[in-house]
Amino acid sequence: MLRSGRSDIALLALAAGAVAAGVLGFAGFGETVSDSLLFVACFLVLLALFVLAIRLPLRGSGSHRSAWAANASIVLGAIVIVVGANVALYRHDVHFDVSREGRNTPPQQLADVIAQLRAPLALTYFYNAGDPNAVNVKELVQTAARNHPLLAFRAIDLDKEPGLARDLGVRAYNTAVLQAEDRKVLVENVTDPARLGYAALRVLRKRVETVCFVTGHGETFRPLPSHFHFSHVETLRGHETPGAGDVLEAAPEQLDRLQLALDQVGFGMREIVTATVASIPPDCSVVADIGPRTAFAADEVALLGNYLKGGGRLMLLLDPLSLVEGDFERLLLKPVGLSTEAAIVIDPLNHFRADADKVAVPYYPPHPITKRLALTVFPQARPIAVTAPPSGVSLIVLAASSQDSYLRSPKAAIAATDGQAPGTARGAQPLAVALEGAWPGGASPDKRFRLVVVGTSKIASNEYFPYVSDGELSLALLRWLAEDDATPSVAPQTFKLPEIVLTSSQMRDTFITLEVLLPLSTALFGIAMWWRRR
């Protein structure tokens, strides 16, 4: 018989914990949470088996034959439980990284692409076995590729397979070859695993989407330069981690970070001057006008209007100083229930740092554009008035300010304090809207347009693209307009050191907790202890 003792409670607790974790593992949580719970359940089962084993008697009671039968049954049961637990652990494999810098965790860009694969992808990495960074890339890809049957990953030492490398066009160490159907992408000198995630997006893309940027009205778009200037800043991840501290040096008002993000996911880019073309080129998947300053001529407005009537995709990032009155508003905005005025939204409740003109938006309605967004910042945004759209057009407000916000003239000095003019009305102001459907009065109802209007162009600029989710929002707007939902969605690389950004209410709550409640509670507990011991 088993020895009874104090370990009965521990054994019952382990058994109860294993059952609870196992039940929760099948409760419909996400894959990572479910696998973690099942991993805990299997671990508790093995621990309970160990506790049970140390309580077994060395020799069974009864006859010699019955003792052998009891021992054999115990051994057989232990083998069955151990094999079953190991099979369960293998089927619900979970990766834990306890390193401070997270060096053993694949970057989010690579993990997201692999997790969202919908088509087979072959990845061959010809690495230098003497390069620790290359070996780390190999191990991280192997970690990310666990239990993903659509990814066929091979890591090959280039010195051992030079013939195979030559057949695939590999000429240098640390080269990745990605293949999907008949498409192939070759990336040389890969020691940053995040680059493999972006390369996978390019090879999975069946056709190249082209974003045509409108110029000629003071927009800041320029073609991608041949060379970007980077600096390197030491971070907690260490200088031995490639790309960990790379910072892009660029003019704040330019669009270099957005263009790099589009290039990384496989989008093409070109500029068009609407004053010199008779129609929008057919290879333009999306037409983007970011931060115009001067007014559009009547012919240019008619060009964009005809483009929308024919089922075009247009993104308008307007600023308070953009001239959008007249034909622009009458032909492009009012037909679908939109209007705007030259004003700046001031939000005393939700704003970035201490600047009330930089509206922070922490919540969004469900939409393909907003499904990955966290906090976003809309600096110096103009309001977008929304009315009921015409029949056949769907409209959704993607982002809005709080109910405490109000409007201020863009020519007035912008103060960080709540300097509201007397009689100014307060209320939520739409900052970004998305529309789709058949354009009113269009040639064919089957040609469905998509239109995005945002009250600021700064979310896409170099200055604000790296902040919180502004970069993801800018990229998501263009991907939704291009109907690019066949490839995985990943966060863009911002080439800026990470920061913790809080809204004004979060800053206030943090201050109250850390600077008021924590010292006060310490003092109160000290006084209570003194009073008790006096």
Side-chain angles (χ1 to χ4, degrees):
M1 295 182 60
L2 300 180
R3 301 193 193 101
S4 60
R6 296 181 179 179
S7 59
D8 290 339
I9 298 177
L11 186 61
L12 290 175
L14 290 174
V19 172
V23 172
L24 291 175
F26 293 98
F29 295 105
E31 180 181 359
T32 302
V33 176
S34 297
D35 287 349
S36 299
L37 289 170
L38 292 173
F39 180 90
V40 171
C42 295
F43 178 78
L44 293 178
V45 168
L46 292 177
L47 189 59
L49 181 64
F50 173 76
V51 173
L52 190 63
I54 62 177
R55 299 178 57 215
L56 289 173
L58 296 178
R59 289 186 177 88
S61 59
S63 65
H64 182 73
R65 182 175 298 178
S66 62
W68 270 99
N71 290 336
S73 61
I74 292 173
V75 171
L76 181 62
I79 292 175
V80 170
I81 294 176
V82 170
V83 171
N86 279 276
V87 170
L89 289 173
Y90 177 79
R91 289 176 59 87
H92 301 281
D93 192 14
V94 180
H95 172 73
F96 295 103
D97 186 0
V98 296
S99 62
R100 183 187 66 177
E101 300 85 3
R103 286 183 53 84
N104 302 314
T105 299
Q108 200 65 37
Q109 294 91 337
L110 177 62
D112 286 348
V113 170
I114 295 177
Q116 300 176 47
L117 279 178
R118 304 175 188 174
L121 172 65
L123 170 56
T124 306
Y125 184 50
F126 292 90
Y127 68 100
N128 180 4
D131 186 348
N133 288 324
V135 175
N136 184 56
V137 170
K138 179 196 72 171
E139 295 173 350
L140 290 178
V141 176
Q142 289 174 339
T143 299
R146 298 186 329 269
N147 302 328
H148 289 282
L150 292 178
L151 175 63
F153 174 65
R154 291 189 301 168
I156 300 175
D157 187 347
L158 181 58
D159 294 327
K160 295 181 179 180
E161 296 286 350
L164 177 59
R166 185 168 50 252
D167 294 340
L168 292 177
V170 176
R171 300 182 179 86
Y173 286 116
N174 306 335
T175 297
V177 180
L178 299 96
Q179 295 172 297
E181 297 180 354
D182 58 345
R183 303 177 299 278
K184 183 173 77 170
V185 169
L186 189 145
V187 187
E188 295 182 336
N189 193 27
V190 179
T191 54
D192 181 3
R195 292 180 58 195
L196 294 178
Y198 296 119
L201 288 179
R202 294 195 295 272
V203 76
L204 291 171
R205 191 174 301 283
K206 295 185 178 180
R207 73 183 188 94
V208 177
E209 309 289 350
T210 301
V211 180
C212 295
F213 290 88
V214 176
T215 58
H217 307 89
E219 295 91 349
T220 58
F221 173 81
R222 57 171 182 164
L224 279 174
S226 58
H227 178 71
F228 286 92
H229 296 283
F230 292 90
S231 63
H232 187 82
V233 179
E234 187 66 27
T235 64
L236 290 177
R237 296 180 62 185
H239 64 276
E240 70 278 0
T241 303
D246 288 343
V247 178
L248 176 64
E249 298 176 353
E253 69 278 359
Q254 298 291 340
L255 305 174
D256 302 276
R257 287 188 168 97
L258 172 62
Q259 292 174 253
L260 273 174
L262 290 172
D263 182 69
Q264 285 177 329
V265 300
F267 272 54
M269 288 160 283
R270 56 175 293 193
E271 63 176 323
I272 58 171
V273 182
T274 52
T276 62
V277 296
S279 62
I280 300 297
D283 63 330
C284 293
S285 304
V286 179
V287 174
D289 191 17
I290 300 180
R293 288 294 182 267
T294 60
F296 281 70
D299 292 342
E300 296 178 278
V301 175
L303 176 71
L304 296 176
N306 293 332
Y307 174 65
L308 289 173
K309 289 180 181 178
R313 275 87 169 109
L314 178 62
M315 182 173 77
L316 299 174
L317 302 190
L318 309 174
D319 292 315
L321 297 179
S322 299
L323 300 178
V324 295
E325 64 273 0
D327 289 341
F328 191 97
E329 187 173 34
R330 181 175 59 85
L331 297 179
L332 298 182
L333 301 181
K334 287 188 175 180
V336 289
L338 301 180
S339 63
T340 181
E341 62 177 298
I344 293 178
V345 179
I346 305 297
D347 194 336
L349 179 62
N350 289 330
H351 53 260
F352 177 62
R353 293 176 179 166
D355 302 321
D357 64 317
K358 299 177 177 61
V359 183
V361 179
Y363 309 109
Y364 316 89
H367 191 271
I369 294 175
T370 61
K371 63 182 179 181
R372 287 180 53 90
L373 296 183
L375 179 71
T376 52
V377 176
F378 289 78
Q380 299 177 8
R382 69 188 296 158
I384 302 170
V386 175
T387 59
S391 176
V393 176
S394 61
L395 182 151
I396 183 171
V397 176
L398 300 174
S401 60
S402 72
Q403 294 290 340
D404 291 348
S405 60
Y406 58 93
L407 303 182
R408 177 179 292 171
S409 170
K411 298 181 180 180
I414 298 174
T417 58
D418 186 8
Q420 181 185 6
T424 303
R426 290 179 179 262
Q429 299 291 337
L431 305 174
V433 296
L435 307 95
E436 63 177 326
W439 191 267
S444 173
D446 296 332
K447 295 183 177 180
R448 301 179 63 82
F449 77 96
R450 283 191 174 184
L451 173 64
V452 166
V453 182
V454 182
T456 178
S457 66
K458 292 183 180 293
I459 61 170
S461 67
N462 291 333
E463 183 179 6
Y464 289 95
F465 187 89
Y467 286 146
V468 286
S469 295
D470 280 16
E472 291 191 56
L473 173 61
S474 302
L475 196 59
L477 293 173
L478 291 169
R479 293 192 62 169
W480 178 76
L481 288 169
E483 297 187 73
D484 180 39
D485 53 2
T487 55
S489 175
V490 300
Q493 198 168 5
T494 60
F495 298 105
K496 184 177 177 65
L497 294 180
E499 297 179 356
I500 298 177
V501 180
L502 304 176
T503 64
S504 58
S505 58
Q506 292 171 333
M507 292 173 63
R508 180 198 61 214
D509 295 341
T510 303
F511 174 81
I512 293 174
T513 302
L514 298 181
E515 302 294 336
V516 178
L517 295 182
L518 184 59
L520 184 61
S521 62
T522 303
L524 291 177
F525 280 121
I527 294 173
M529 186 61 65
W530 170 80
W531 183 265
R532 183 178 179 182
R533 293 182 176 182
R534 69 184 178 89

